[in-house]
Amino acid sequence: MTTHQRSISDEEFGRVYEYDDSLVVALDLADAEGEVAVDTVGETVIVVVEGDDGTSTETEFELPGEARESTVNNGVLTVEVDA
């Protein structure tokens, strides 16, 4: 397994874990206040945070390949990508 850290945006950093048959992109969303929704479209991830006050924030970032699966668990977004 190989690990790389890269900038997702000016404020967010993610880690990319390389395995033999896939990559896993991990992003810490622990500071996100509200309901988190994640959608993947090809090589793009769209993260929407619905705040408790009714506002929403949307962030998109490109993946190093096409997404297989995405999950949010304990404030960490993980996206499995085809290698």
Side-chain angles (χ1 to χ4, degrees):
M1 175 180 72
T2 305
T3 304
H4 302 281
Q5 186 166 326
R6 68 180 197 157
S7 175
I8 303 298
S9 70
D10 289 340
E11 300 173 0
E12 300 167 327
F13 287 91
R15 291 186 186 241
V16 179
Y17 300 94
E18 293 184 29
Y19 298 96
D20 291 337
D21 62 344
S22 67
L23 304 170
V24 174
V25 177
L27 180 64
D28 184 2
L29 300 176
D31 292 338
E33 296 181 15
E35 191 76 24
V36 176
V38 178
D39 193 16
T40 58
V41 179
E43 296 181 357
T44 303
V45 174
I46 304 164
V47 180
V48 179
V49 179
E50 298 279 342
D52 296 331
D53 59 358
T55 61
S56 64
T57 304
E58 182 177 317
T59 304
E60 293 184 17
F61 62 92
E62 296 298 313
L63 295 168
E66 188 153 335
R68 284 189 199 171
E69 180 180 356
S70 64
T71 59
V72 178
N73 190 16
N74 292 326
V76 177
L77 166 63
T78 56
V79 182
E80 187 175 344
V81 178
D82 290 329

